[in-house]
Amino acid sequence: GGEHMSNRAKFRALPVDNAIMRKITEQDLCTTASQAGRESRKVRNKGEETRITKRYALYGALSDDVKSLLGHRGGVKTGTKFAYAATNEASLPEDDVSIPEVAFAGRSNVGKSSLINAVTLSSAARSSDVPGKTQSLNFYDVSRRLRVVDMPGYGFAFANDDRVTDWNRLMDRYLTGRKALKRVYVVIDARHGLKAPDREMLAFLSKYGGVSYQVVLNKTDLVKPGDLARRAFLIREELRLSKRARGIVDMASTSTGAGVRDFARGLLSLAIPEKAEDDGGRTAGGGGGGEADDETDDERESYGGEWKPNSGDASVAGGGKKARPRGWGSYAADDDDDDERPRAGGVGGEGKP
């Protein structure tokens, strides 16, 4: 009977959502890096290689508006550049509401910095294979029309108690009180799905955050199509009950570029429209605009009850003291060594179908 099946077998027994599988296939999301490399060589041999495909074989073509925003059409003051690094509340840059901000959160070594570089087609964000490398709130300016913020990874870091206290205060203030912040993207490893620290972050954003948030699955080139479809579906279904959660789960691979362009479309739509840049963003309609998203926020977001994780101390639904992600509170080492083995991990992983 099913009660004797392993967690992995239960996960694999789940049906596959046809719409999600179609997206995976159309965007080549599970194409491996070696397969993408072969495609890249074919393009190069035909003399059709571009700056983008040389780095991301499966990225795809960009609109002129996006090229302009990302600095791929020239211009002295365009493109993505490092702007600020904040290590405590006092070092936060001015809360300039005329330039919208989007933040990337996620466990250490999940690929936040690499995803920022892929979305902005730059090398501005510093990425590393060393867990906990990002130890400040890093702000990147995109053509003075958008700021992308790389947050310290939760789940693994080395720091003394004073530094941890500063980080806790910094994260609380930024995520709950930053007026320029328009959206938080929570990056999840597509191989493992949601883990306990991820649920704590989603719970925090649902209960205390002031803006919408969205999950994006990274490293899809390391996952089988069926597993990716099941994991995306389970996460999407769990998010339906979450306050402030956008009701979609994006998927991407920063190794091949697959899915990045489509994910970036929604993110970059929050930038100040190019025509509004000269007047400081006053015509940008509250800090968003640019390339239109496929659907409005009201259509894509699900507003239900507060986030209620299935089990454990991740739940903050009962109120009381803020329950921040465990990595920022204690910096307990993550037990995930980021290898390719399937993991049990509750909804979104192989643990609780």
Coordinates of all heavy atoms in Angstrom, one line a residue, residues 171 297 333 352:
M171 N 17.7 43.2 8.3 CA 16.7 42.5 7.5 C 15.3 42.9 7.9 O 14.4 43.0 7.1 CB 16.9 41.0 7.6 CG 18.3 40.5 7.2 SD 18.8 41.2 5.6 CE 20.6 41.1 5.8
D297 N -1.0 42.5 -11.2 CA -0.7 41.9 -9.9 C -1.9 41.2 -9.3 O -1.8 40.2 -8.7 CB -0.1 43.0 -8.9 CG 1.4 43.2 -9.2 OD1 1.9 42.5 -10.0 OD2 1.9 44.1 -8.5
A333 N 24.3 26.2 10.7 CA 24.8 25.7 9.4 C 23.7 24.9 8.8 O 23.0 24.0 9.4 CB 26.0 24.9 9.6
K352 N 6.4 15.5 1.6 CA 5.0 15.4 1.9 C 4.2 15.8 0.6 O 3.9 16.9 0.4 CB 4.6 16.4 3.0 CG 5.3 16.1 4.3 CD 4.9 17.1 5.4 CE 5.6 16.9 6.7 NZ 5.3 17.9 7.7

